[in-house]
Amino acid sequence: MPKRIQFSQTGGPDVLEYADFEPEAPKEGEVRIKNHAVGLNFIDIYFRTGLYPAPSMPSGLGTEGAGVVETVGEGVTEFKEGDRVAYALGPLGAYSEVHTLPVDKVVKLPEAVAFETAAGCMLKGLTVQYLLRQTYRVQKGDTILFHAAAGGVGSIACQWAKSIGVKLIGTVSSKEKADLAKKNGAWAVIDYTQENVVERVRELTKGDMVPVVYDSVGKDTWETSLDCLQKRGLMVSFGNASGSVEGVDVSILNQKGSLYLTRPSLAGYADTHKRLKQMAGELFEMIESGKIKIDVAQSYPLDKAGEAQAALADRKTTGSTVLLP
């Protein structure tokens, strides 16, 4: 019987159980995938802690992985057994040896992209795609601010921005992470433990500030992010690593310069299979061309998922982390 990570109550990493489970047979329009690698993301922690409610208990965990199609449900024509595939959305349950999900959440994986690479970049890479190419379509010569520039999303964003001539200012928490962000193509790096972010952005932009801030940290960086924006700039809040931004008086957007605010998600952009395939196609093209290299810096056995999540939450990781079933 295959194994998976599940949880029956919300809480810390200790609530995660490595257990046998009976995988669902694919229904009409579904495929069952034998996972070769599984992605680790902050959203998994949000479900484990209860910030995002799981639909039922006990619940599987995880939404990102890569592997081969094991069996297909009725009516499935786009995929067949043995196809290399990857996914980043769909029902919880990716932390498992096998996972069943709708075909409209799955894309074919080119031979040139390894399973570990895909599992380490689908959610993060597609997030960067919608952030830089859709939420605010950055242009050559733009200067932008991107928090957590040495993390999984940030590492990809640094490379993608550089490839199109965008000056990315990244924030980090250590010299080691600063070096990594620079290596990945950040134009400038601010160590927020040593420097004032707003003042440094003002210096780097010669007082102009930036037209867009990408913020996955949340509560701890909210005010700082707003203060780095130009008048009528866009605040893109796409994560809650330090906790949710709560109790916000929207009049602050007026006070700080008629600012715009959005809280996007991958599901909101990859909302059809056609869009998902287009976004994934652009991501895979960037990887195959060498413009983006995915740094799978950590890997853990599936049964050590709790340890992996703790390392991610404590900001002890760089790049991407994968679980190996």
Side-chain angles (χ1 to χ4, degrees):
M1 186 174 289
K3 296 276 193 177
R4 75 169 183 172
I5 295 292
Q6 63 183 36
F7 62 108
S8 300
Q9 59 182 338
T10 57
D14 58 310
V15 303
L16 298 181
E17 308 165 352
Y18 186 56
D20 294 328
F21 82 111
E22 188 66 47
E24 296 181 22
K27 302 182 184 68
E28 183 176 358
E30 293 183 338
V31 294
R32 188 165 71 203
I33 297 167
K34 180 176 177 57
N35 284 326
H36 285 226
V38 175
L40 179 77
N41 298 285
F42 256 104
I43 193 172
D44 307 337
I45 296 175
Y46 299 159
F47 278 108
R48 189 204 73 214
T49 60
L51 178 64
Y52 294 171
S56 62
M57 292 288 189
S59 174
L61 192 60
T63 60
E64 175 184 48
V68 297
V69 174
E70 190 175 72
T71 183
V72 301
E74 185 179 346
V76 174
T77 58
E78 187 169 346
F79 301 97
K80 64 183 185 303
E81 292 180 17
D83 280 349
R84 302 176 82 253
V85 293
Y87 57 92
L89 295 167
L92 295 179
Y95 283 27
S96 62
E97 293 179 345
V98 297
H99 187 34
T100 302
L101 66 168
V103 292
D104 62 0
K105 306 300 182 186
V106 180
V107 295
K108 290 186 177 179
L109 182 65
E111 289 289 341
V113 181
F115 292 120
E116 291 85 353
T117 298
C121 81
M122 277 294 287
L123 194 148
K124 301 173 187 69
L126 293 176
T127 295
V128 173
Q129 195 281 337
Y130 82 70
L131 289 174
L132 299 187
R133 310 306 291 154
Q134 299 185 71
T135 304
Y136 181 95
R137 192 172 179 87
V138 296
Q139 304 292 332
K140 182 178 181 180
D142 283 347
T143 302
I144 66 176
L145 180 64
F146 208 104
H147 289 295
V153 174
S155 294
I156 298 171
C158 287
Q159 297 176 71
W160 205 313
K162 183 179 181 181
S163 75
I164 52 181
V166 171
K167 297 178 178 179
L168 183 147
I169 303 171
T171 69
V172 297
S173 60
S174 69
K175 181 183 182 305
E176 292 74 21
K177 290 188 175 184
D179 291 343
L180 179 60
K182 288 177 183 176
K183 178 183 175 183
N184 283 324
W187 174 68
V189 181
I190 303 171
D191 181 345
Y192 61 80
T193 68
Q194 305 293 324
E195 303 174 279
N196 181 288
V197 174
V198 178
E199 291 179 3
R200 187 69 180 120
V201 168
R202 185 172 288 111
E203 291 173 3
L204 289 165
T205 62
K206 295 181 171 56
D208 289 342
M209 311 309 279
V210 296
V212 61
V213 174
Y214 296 101
D215 190 337
S216 63
V217 179
K219 181 174 63 177
D220 289 355
T221 50
W222 167 252
E223 289 277 357
T224 294
S225 294
L226 296 181
D227 288 339
C228 289
L229 284 166
Q230 301 171 353
K231 287 184 178 180
R232 298 177 298 281
L234 175 63
M235 168 65 173
V236 183
S237 177
F238 69 100
N240 317 295
S242 67
S244 297
V245 178
E246 298 176 346
V248 175
D249 181 353
V250 294
S251 66
I252 195 173
L253 301 175
N254 170 43
Q255 296 164 13
K256 291 184 180 293
S258 297
L259 304 178
Y260 293 86
L261 168 66
T262 185
R263 180 57 171 90
S265 69
L266 176 56
Y269 280 86
D271 56 341
T272 67
H273 198 212
K274 180 179 179 180
R275 289 194 185 96
L276 174 61
K277 288 193 294 184
Q278 289 173 338
M279 292 167 67
E282 186 174 357
L283 172 62
F284 294 151
E285 183 180 322
M286 294 291 284
I287 294 171
E288 290 180 281
S289 70
K291 293 177 180 177
I292 289 177
K293 291 181 171 58
I294 305 302
D295 177 23
V296 180
Q298 300 85 207
S299 62
Y300 292 78
L302 181 61
D303 63 352
K304 302 297 183 184
E307 292 181 21
Q309 287 194 355
L312 179 64
D314 292 340
R315 302 187 187 183
K316 294 180 179 178
T317 65
T318 58
S320 298
T321 302
V322 298
L323 305 174
L324 303 176

